[in-house]
């Protein structure tokens, strides 16, 4: 009797805990179903329709995808985004690692410098875009600095060759979040590794090459994946500053997608474009994941 009572009480408690767990996670489940899963499934359907928001969608099968691959602006937007990503991601990782290494030193005012370098990444993207719109203008601070060396340039935003590099510089400046992740990774490296290397006579370069980089590879892997995703989803700068110009030189993929969806009301076409972007990011992420077995080191991992 005692055993049956205990089992009954335990089962009742387990059912109660399970019920409460479902109640507590139900807001997340409802949010996921309503705001993520349903829009994704709807976009799959709309990508195979002709839909303008003003009329009911008309089923056209894969015509949106075939039209997309014949669209020269689609290829131009993809070209701009790939060029931007290839330039931005390595520079952002290198700059963020350099900042994190500097801010990992014991210097006066360390908290101020950490806050100062992180601050741009939490400020409104529109406000930052307005700042750099002026910075690269005819009389902005960038051209003012270059004039000190006798280099005279007009507004970068109206120059087809300079608009995209300006966008890269502007984006690299916003590496505060990446820098914080690198800083956390640097502080997690055991000090005794450096002390042992110093006893063996290793200089700073060797300590960075043989201790810091391997121990930081998992952090770098995370920042690389997040950087790739962020680069292919670039939107704010192109929308606020250049509107894709001059002559489509900064027509980012997401900007062209937005124009199709909300300016031209081609929702079906934009949905197809969104799924192509999803496929591109998925493939790139899988490639990075597969390559991680070669260059990412996890402490305690035993490789066979």
């Amino acid at each position: 009797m005692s055993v049956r009572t205990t089992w009954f009480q335990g089962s009742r408690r387990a059912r109660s805990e399970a019920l409460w767990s479902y109640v507590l996670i139900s807001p997340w489940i409802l949010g996921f179903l309503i705001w993520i899963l349903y829009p994704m499934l709807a976009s799959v359907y709309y990508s195979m329709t002709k839909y303008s928001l003003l009329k009911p969608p008309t089923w056209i099968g894969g015509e949106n995808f075939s039209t997309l691959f014949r669209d020269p602006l689609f290829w131009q937007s993809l070209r701009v985004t790939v060029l931007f990503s290839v330039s931005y991601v390595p520079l952002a990782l290198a700059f963020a690692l350099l900042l994190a290494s500097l801010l990992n030193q014991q210097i006066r005012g360390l908290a101020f410098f950490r806050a100062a370098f992180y601050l741009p990444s939490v400020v409104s993207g529109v406000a930052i875009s307005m700042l750099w719109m002026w910075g690269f203008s005819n009389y902005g601070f960038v051209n003012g600095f270059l004039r000190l060396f006798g280099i005279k340039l007009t507004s970068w935003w109206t120059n087809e060759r300079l608009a995209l590099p300006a966008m890269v510089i502007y984006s690299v400046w916003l590496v505060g979040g990446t820098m914080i992740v690198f800083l956390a990774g640097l502080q997690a490296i055991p000090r005794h590794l450096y002390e042992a290397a110093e006893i063996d006579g290793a200089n700073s370069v060797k300590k960075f090459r043989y201790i810091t980089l391997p121990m930081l590879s998992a952090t770098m892997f995370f920042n690389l994946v997040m950087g790739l995703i962020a680069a292919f989803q670039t939107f704010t700068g192109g929308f606020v500053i250049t509107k894709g110009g001059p002559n489509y030189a900064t027509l980012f993929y997401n900007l062209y997608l937005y124009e199709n969806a909300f300016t031209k009301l081609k929702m079906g076409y934009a949905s197809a474009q969104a799924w192509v972007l999803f496929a591109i990011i998925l493939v790139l992420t899988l490639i990075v994941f597969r390559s991680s077995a070669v260059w990412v080191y996890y402490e305690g991992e035993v490789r066979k």
Side-chain angles (χ1 to χ4, degrees):
M1 182 64 182
S2 174
V3 173
R4 291 183 60 186
T5 303
T6 303
W7 175 85
F8 175 77
Q9 289 176 342
S11 177
R12 187 175 178 183
R13 183 184 302 169
R15 286 199 299 271
S16 176
E17 289 178 352
L19 179 62
W20 271 109
S21 68
Y22 288 127
V23 170
L24 292 174
I25 65 173
S26 60
W28 185 90
I29 293 176
L30 287 174
F32 174 77
L33 294 175
I34 295 172
W35 303 112
I36 297 178
L37 186 60
Y38 171 71
M40 287 182 69
L41 295 177
S43 72
V44 172
Y45 169 70
Y46 289 135
S47 70
M48 299 183 185
T49 65
K50 185 178 181 181
Y51 183 38
S52 66
L53 287 177
L54 304 176
K55 297 179 180 178
T58 305
W59 181 264
I60 56 173
E63 187 177 323
N64 280 329
F65 292 94
S66 59
T67 305
L68 194 62
F69 294 125
R70 296 194 303 271
D71 184 351
L73 287 184
F74 162 77
W75 291 109
Q76 172 63 14
S77 66
L78 190 58
R79 174 180 167 275
V80 168
T81 305
V82 169
L83 284 176
F84 173 81
S85 302
V86 169
S87 307
Y88 162 75
V89 174
L91 285 175
L93 289 177
F95 186 53
L97 179 57
L98 174 64
L99 283 180
S101 300
L102 293 175
L103 295 178
N104 196 37
Q105 308 301 317
Q106 297 301 319
I107 57 174
R108 293 185 63 183
L110 191 59
F112 168 78
F113 288 115
R114 287 177 179 175
F117 283 110
Y118 181 67
L119 188 62
S121 64
V122 295
V123 175
S124 163
V126 174
I128 296 295
S129 298
M130 298 296 289
L131 171 67
W132 282 96
M133 184 190 295
W134 167 73
F136 282 108
S137 65
N138 286 338
Y139 301 101
F141 56 83
V142 176
N143 281 346
F145 176 75
L146 292 176
R147 285 191 197 97
L148 297 176
F149 302 94
I151 302 172
K152 297 181 180 179
L153 296 173
T154 57
S155 172
W156 291 44
W157 302 121
T158 57
N159 188 314
E160 288 185 33
R161 291 182 302 171
L162 296 179
L164 192 59
M167 201 65 75
V168 173
I169 295 171
Y170 146 80
S171 301
V172 168
W173 189 65
L174 302 172
V175 294
T178 307
M179 176 203 72
I180 289 295
V181 176
F182 270 132
L183 187 57
L186 286 171
Q187 293 185 347
I189 299 175
R191 300 300 307 170
H192 65 81
L193 296 178
Y194 292 109
E195 293 168 358
E198 289 170 1
I199 292 173
D200 290 339
N203 56 27
S204 299
V205 175
K206 288 185 176 179
K207 284 190 286 184
F208 182 79
R209 167 69 180 82
Y210 295 107
I211 298 176
T212 303
L213 282 182
M215 296 298 291
L216 210 58
S217 59
T219 307
M220 198 172 296
F221 168 68
F222 172 80
N223 279 335
L224 175 59
V225 172
M226 300 308 292
L228 272 175
I229 294 173
F232 272 84
Q233 293 182 336
T234 299
F235 174 77
T236 306
F239 179 75
V240 174
I241 301 174
T242 62
K243 300 291 188 296
N247 196 24
Y248 304 114
T250 59
L251 182 65
F252 292 103
Y253 194 97
N254 261 7
L255 183 58
Y256 186 46
L257 190 156
Y258 174 86
E259 287 181 355
N260 281 320
F262 299 105
T263 303
K264 302 174 182 175
L265 295 182
K266 298 163 66 175
M267 299 300 292
Y269 194 68
S271 296
Q273 201 176 343
W275 280 102
V276 171
L277 177 61
F278 172 78
I280 292 171
I281 292 176
L282 179 64
V283 169
L284 290 175
T285 304
L286 288 176
I287 291 172
V288 174
F289 266 83
R290 291 297 298 268
S291 71
S292 67
V294 178
W295 60 276
V296 177
Y297 166 75
Y298 293 102
E299 192 174 7
E301 180 185 40
V302 177
R303 292 183 178 174
K304 299 178 180 178

